[in-house]
């Protein structure tokens, strides 16, 4: 297993080194190992994979994780002062650098910073503030289940998070025990996906 995992890590690292057409995308990933751009939804899974592999004793260079964290921070939507520190301390992460914050991307970005031991950064604090005030509507969020999975893990230390996650998800559960997506992307992903993400979210906030 260690040998196979190391090979998987090497693939992720090679993909991160692919030449990017925009410097703001350096350090991230997209849909194929040779992609010349990056987005947060794909990058977050690679960051979590690298951190988990490193914690398991697999060789993962710190430089690669630091590059990924820098990419995450560039996806935080805010102006910056002369020292490069975000001005807006209640904002979040966009799908691409420079795009406005979204529920799913902000929750994913926050968890990525936490898992990378960067939970005290301004971007981490600002996104936590934004999520704490965010009113989530399952009918209008394009990636509600995706976002709620990351939200439940990133904000699990707050009692309000536990209550909100349980109330919303249990209300959406179907009579056969499954969950179904409301937006077209998550409807297309199917009930197995939605149910798996809902269960993972509930597990993250259970006592």
């Amino acid at each position: 297993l260690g040998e196979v995992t190391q090979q998987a890590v090497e693939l992720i690292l090679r993909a991160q080194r692919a030449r990017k057409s925009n410097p703001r995308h350096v350090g991230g990933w997209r849909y194929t190992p040779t992609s010349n751009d990056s987005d947060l939804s794909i990058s977050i899974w690679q960051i979590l994979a690298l951190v988990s592999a490193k914690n398991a004793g697999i060789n993962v260079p710190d430089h690669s994780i630091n590059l990924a964290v820098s990419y995450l921070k560039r996806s935080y939507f805010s102006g910056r002062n002369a020292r490069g520190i975000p001005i807006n301390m209640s904002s979040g992460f966009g799908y691409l650098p420079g795009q406005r914050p979204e529920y799913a991307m902000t929750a994913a970005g926050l968890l990525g910073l936490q898992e990378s031991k960067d939970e005290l950064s301004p971007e981490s604090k600002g996104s936590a503030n934004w999520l704490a005030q965010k009113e989530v509507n399952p009918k209008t969020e394009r990636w509600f289940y995706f976002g709620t999975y990351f939200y439940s893990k990133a904000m699990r230390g707050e009692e309000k998070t536990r209550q909100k996650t349980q109330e919303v998800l249990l209300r959406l559960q179907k009579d056969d025990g499954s969950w179904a997506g409301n937006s077209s992307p998550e409807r297309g992903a199917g009930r197995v996906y939605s149910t798996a993400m809902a269960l993972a979210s509930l597990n993250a906030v259970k006592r």
Side-chain angles (χ1 to χ4, degrees):
L1 285 175
E3 184 177 328
V4 172
T5 304
Q6 186 69 62
Q7 291 175 7
V9 166
E10 291 302 325
L11 172 61
I12 294 173
L13 295 177
R14 285 199 304 274
Q16 187 186 36
R17 292 193 294 268
R19 184 180 297 275
K20 305 298 183 181
S21 58
N22 186 328
R24 300 184 76 184
H25 290 226
V26 171
W29 295 262
R30 210 158 195 194
Y31 290 96
T32 67
T34 58
S35 293
N36 65 357
D37 56 358
S38 306
D39 76 60
L40 197 151
S41 71
I42 299 299
S43 297
I44 185 60
W45 293 112
Q46 313 317 309
I47 293 170
L48 297 181
L50 291 180
V51 170
S52 295
K54 187 175 182 66
N55 291 341
I58 302 296
N59 181 30
V60 178
D62 289 337
H63 173 69
S64 297
I65 294 178
N66 293 338
L67 269 180
V69 169
S70 294
Y71 170 73
L72 274 185
K73 290 183 175 181
R74 285 195 295 275
S75 300
Y76 183 83
F77 187 76
S78 173
R80 295 179 181 265
N81 64 21
R83 293 188 296 159
I85 298 174
I87 298 170
N88 190 343
M89 288 305 295
S90 182
S91 187
F93 295 90
Y95 177 65
L96 298 173
Q99 291 188 349
R100 291 188 174 277
E102 301 176 23
Y103 167 63
M105 295 300 98
T106 299
L110 175 56
L111 183 63
L113 291 179
Q114 291 174 344
E115 293 297 311
S116 303
K117 310 302 182 187
D118 207 352
E119 65 273 15
L120 298 180
S121 66
E123 293 85 355
S124 182
K125 293 178 180 179
S127 55
N129 291 337
W130 189 86
L131 285 170
Q133 300 168 18
K134 172 71 173 173
E135 291 297 327
V136 178
N137 185 341
K139 295 182 179 180
T140 58
E141 294 293 342
R142 293 186 68 246
W143 293 101
F144 167 74
Y145 290 102
F146 178 98
T148 298
Y149 168 72
F150 287 104
Y151 172 82
S152 66
K153 293 178 71 68
M155 302 286 283
R156 60 186 177 272
E158 296 190 7
E159 179 64 16
K160 182 180 178 181
T161 298
R162 186 187 71 82
Q163 293 177 346
K164 185 188 299 185
T165 302
Q166 288 184 346
E167 288 174 4
V168 172
L169 288 177
L170 294 179
R171 188 169 64 245
L172 293 172
Q173 190 175 24
K174 306 298 183 182
D175 291 340
D176 65 357
S178 71
W179 280 264
N182 288 303
S183 67
S184 56
E186 291 198 313
R187 278 198 304 272
R191 287 200 180 197
V192 171
Y193 155 80
S194 297
T195 302
M197 296 300 266
L199 288 173
S201 302
L202 290 171
N203 185 64
V205 296
K206 75 177 183 180
R207 285 178 169 174

